[in-house]
Amino acid sequence: MTEGLVFNIQRYSVHDGDGIRTIIFLKGCPLKCPWCSNPESRLAVKPTVWNKNGQAETVGEWWTVDQLVEEVMKDEIFFRTSGGGVTLSGGEVLMQAEFAQALLKELHQLGVDTAIETTGCFPLQEIASLTPYLNQVLFDLKIMDQTDARQVIGINQELVKENFAFLRTQNLELTPRIPLIPGYTTSQSNIQALIDYLIQQEVSAVHLLPFHQYGSNKYQYLGWEYQLKDASTLTDAEVRTIQSIFEAEGISANVDGLK
Ligand code: SF4
C-alpha cells in the first residue's frame, strides 16, 4: 500500500488556494532556500528528530491514502460552502510524486477541489503525472538568474521555466507565487526578470509573499544555523512599492494581510 510522509496538516487555511482549504504538508525537499520557514521538511523523505524545548520529537508520520482522505474529508462541509478543497504543500510535493498522484486522484474522484504548491524543479513527466487530478497549481518563482538560482537555492531555473510553460498549457488554474526576500529576490534586476518572464508567459496575476520570521525557532530545534536570523521584514510601504512595479506592467499582485 502506498504511504506518504506528512509533517503537518493545517485546517481552515485561506491563503493556499481558493476558499477554505486543508493543507497537507509532505516531507522532503531538495532545495536550500536560506529563508525556508519549514526547514524540518527539507532533505530526504524520512522522519526528522528535532529537540523542541528540551524534548526530542519526531517530525513526520506515515499515512496511507485512505487514512488521509478520511482525515481531510472531515472538513468537506467547509470545502463545499467556501469553494475550497485540499492543497498539498511541503517541502516539495514532487519528492513524493507517486503518493501525491494517488492521493490527488482519490480526492479528485470524490469531487474535492485539489491544489499543489510546488517549486517546479522536477522532471516534466512527474509534474504531468499529477495534472489530470489538479484544479490549481501554486507555482513558486524565486530567483530568475540561472547561476544565482543554482548557487543560492540549488534549483535549475531552466527546468522550472520549462515546467511553468507546460502548466500554462494545461486545463488548470496556475498562480505564480513570489516570496519577497530582501537581499535575495527583491533586487530591481530580479523583479524585472520576473516581470519579463510573466509577460512572456502572458500571466496577468501573481501572489507576493513578504518575508517573515515565523520559522526561525525551528532552526534552533534542528540545531541548524539560520542565515536570516537578523534579517528585517519588509514594511507595508516597501511591499506596496514592489506591488506597484508589477501592477504598472499590467500584472495584478495580490498580497495577503497588507493593510
Ligand atoms: S522550496 Fe520551500 S521547503 Fe524547500 S527549501 Fe525552499 S522554502 Fe524550504
Side-chain angles (χ1 to χ4, degrees), residues 7 28-39 41-42 90-92 117-119 121 140 142 153 155 219:
F7 72 95
C29 181
L31 304 187
K32 51 173 184 170
C33 307
W35 56 87
C36 180
S37 59
N38 287 326
S41 71
R42 280 159 54 182
E92 169 51 64
E117 183 193 359
T118 182
T119 61
C121 65
D140 297 348
K142 306 172 196 256
I153 58 179
I155 202 168
Y219 288 82

Side-chain angles (χ1 to χ4, degrees), residues 15 116-119 136-142 144 160 164-165 167-168 172-179 194-195 197-199 201-209 246 251-255:
H15 301 299
I116 61 167
E117 183 193 359
T118 182
T119 61
Q136 304 176 54
V137 175
L138 309 170
F139 195 107
D140 297 348
L141 289 175
K142 306 172 196 256
M144 297 305 278
V160 169
F164 187 88
L167 289 171
R168 286 278 297 134
L172 47 77
E173 189 181 327
L174 176 62
T175 305
R177 303 221 297 184
I178 300 167
L194 282 159
I195 289 170
Y197 182 68
L198 293 167
I199 290 173
Q201 290 293 316
E202 300 179 355
V203 172
S204 58
V206 296
H207 283 190
L208 303 180
L209 308 174
F246 282 89
I251 300 169
S252 148
N254 179 283
V255 188

Side-chain angles (χ1 to χ4, degrees), residues 141-171:
L141 289 175
K142 306 172 196 256
I143 298 175
M144 297 305 278
D145 179 81
Q146 168 79 341
T147 306
D148 289 350
R150 196 178 283 282
Q151 272 174 7
V152 176
I153 58 179
I155 202 168
N156 177 350
Q157 194 59 23
E158 291 308 311
L159 180 60
V160 169
K161 287 183 189 171
E162 188 187 324
N163 286 326
F164 187 88
F166 164 73
L167 289 171
R168 286 278 297 134
T169 68
Q170 301 301 293
N171 183 26

Side-chain angles (χ1 to χ4, degrees), residues 2-240:
T2 313
E3 288 192 324
L5 189 62
V6 174
F7 72 95
N8 193 13
I9 297 175
Q10 186 183 318
R11 307 193 127 88
Y12 317 122
S13 169
V14 291
H15 301 299
D16 297 288
D18 296 340
I20 297 174
R21 308 192 74 84
T22 298
I23 318 298
I24 300 171
F25 291 86
L26 297 179
K27 201 160 173 334
C29 181
L31 304 187
K32 51 173 184 170
C33 307
W35 56 87
C36 180
S37 59
N38 287 326
E40 75 276 34
S41 71
R42 280 159 54 182
L43 307 175
V45 182
K46 61 179 188 183
T48 296
V49 178
W50 66 10
N51 189 317
K52 194 171 180 181
N53 306 322
Q55 299 271 329
E57 190 181 281
T58 300
V59 180
E61 196 179 328
W62 293 100
W63 291 71
T64 66
V65 168
D66 288 350
Q67 286 169 334
L68 266 180
V69 169
E70 189 181 336
E71 185 66 22
V72 299
M73 289 307 276
K74 292 174 186 168
D75 302 326
E76 189 185 9
I77 182 73
F78 298 105
F79 307 155
R80 302 260 174 246
T81 52
S82 71
V86 173
T87 300
L88 306 190
S89 184
E92 169 51 64
V93 168
L94 291 161
M95 284 283 278
Q96 301 190 58
E98 198 181 329
F99 178 74
Q101 186 202 41
L103 178 57
L104 291 168
K105 188 174 181 180
E106 189 66 30
L107 292 169
H108 191 72
Q109 281 169 357
L110 290 168
V112 176
D113 184 278
T114 55
I116 61 167
E117 183 193 359
T118 182
T119 61
C121 65
F122 278 74
L124 181 59
Q125 62 268 27
E126 291 188 18
I127 293 190
S129 73
L130 306 186
T131 54
Y133 315 112
L134 277 173
N135 299 99
Q136 304 176 54
V137 175
L138 309 170
F139 195 107
D140 297 348
L141 289 175
K142 306 172 196 256
I143 298 175
M144 297 305 278
D145 179 81
Q146 168 79 341
T147 306
D148 289 350
R150 196 178 283 282
Q151 272 174 7
V152 176
I153 58 179
I155 202 168
N156 177 350
Q157 194 59 23
E158 291 308 311
L159 180 60
V160 169
K161 287 183 189 171
E162 188 187 324
N163 286 326
F164 187 88
F166 164 73
L167 289 171
R168 286 278 297 134
T169 68
Q170 301 301 293
N171 183 26
L172 47 77
E173 189 181 327
L174 176 62
T175 305
R177 303 221 297 184
I178 300 167
L180 300 180
I181 317 295
Y184 292 94
T185 66
T186 57
S187 68
Q188 201 179 354
S189 59
N190 195 53
I191 296 290
Q192 193 56 53
L194 282 159
I195 289 170
D196 292 345
Y197 182 68
L198 293 167
I199 290 173
Q200 184 216 329
Q201 290 293 316
E202 300 179 355
V203 172
S204 58
V206 296
H207 283 190
L208 303 180
L209 308 174
F211 173 62
H212 58 71
Q213 286 283 14
Y214 303 150
S216 59
N217 282 347
K218 296 178 174 181
Y219 288 82
Q220 286 175 15
Y221 304 157
L222 289 162
W224 293 0
E225 186 195 353
Y226 178 37
Q227 292 175 44
L228 273 69
K229 66 177 184 303
D230 298 322
S232 306
T233 53
L234 294 165
T235 64
D236 281 358
E238 288 169 325
V239 173
R240 255 193 220 98

